[in-house]
Amino acid sequence: MATELAKIPQSHFMEIQSLENEIAATNYATKLRREEEAQMAVMREQTVKANEQRHTEVVATNVLQCLTSVGGGALSTLKWGKVPVGGILNSVLGSIATAVAIQDYPRPVVRVAASSVKTLLHNQIAITTRDILRGMS
């Protein structure tokens, strides 16, 4: 085989080497492209999954906020003698939930719960404002 290579003219030998280098480069580029496409597919899959989880979190938060709003309105009517126990509970629980929501915990359950329960504070502020305004007129 070595004698056969020696018979090949130098110009052809360099051309063969050049072609072999081009083939190797093309194969390497193809390998890199496949790896990049596989990586992009994984990233797309992760993005879709994250979007689905975020959508579920948003829906759950909105539903629970509606229910919490109704519960907060009912709770605000509770009094112990002249002490507005319901209003105090709404304010305290809502304030704690707001503090937790501001922390932006990594667990979705905590985020949903905090965002839902902070509705109690918002409701109580609205109820108290309404009561103050009614007292002014």
Side-chain angles (χ1 to χ4, degrees):
M1 176 124 167
T3 56
E4 292 175 8
L5 288 176
K7 293 180 185 177
I8 298 176
Q10 183 64 22
S11 63
H12 290 313
F13 184 73
M14 290 178 69
E15 189 176 332
I16 291 171
Q17 279 185 322
S18 177
L19 289 172
E20 286 176 345
N21 287 340
E22 285 182 38
I23 290 169
T26 301
N27 289 340
Y28 182 70
T30 302
K31 176 187 168 200
L32 290 178
R33 187 174 61 241
R34 285 185 188 134
E35 289 173 359
E36 186 177 311
E37 287 172 354
Q39 192 174 32
M40 292 297 291
V42 168
M43 289 174 58
R44 279 191 300 272
E45 185 177 315
Q46 289 172 344
T47 301
V48 166
K49 184 177 180 182
N51 287 341
E52 289 172 353
Q53 288 174 344
R54 179 70 182 137
H55 177 72
T56 301
E57 187 176 328
V58 167
V59 169
T61 299
N62 284 305
V63 168
L64 290 175
Q65 282 177 335
C66 289
L67 297 173
T68 304
S69 182
V70 172
L75 185 61
S76 71
T77 63
L78 291 178
K79 291 188 178 191
W80 190 350
K82 291 222 174 221
V83 179
V85 177
I88 293 170
L89 281 173
N90 276 343
S91 298
V92 170
L93 293 173
S95 296
I96 292 169
T98 300
V100 171
I102 290 171
Q103 297 299 317
D104 196 27
Y105 281 88
R107 294 185 59 207
V109 172
V110 174
R111 287 195 306 266
V112 168
S115 294
S116 300
V117 176
K118 74 179 183 179
T119 304
L120 294 175
L121 177 62
H122 301 163
N123 287 346
Q124 193 57 47
I125 291 170
I127 291 167
T128 303
T129 303
R130 182 200 62 207
D131 290 347
I132 290 170
L133 291 174
R134 281 186 177 166
M136 295 174 125
S137 50

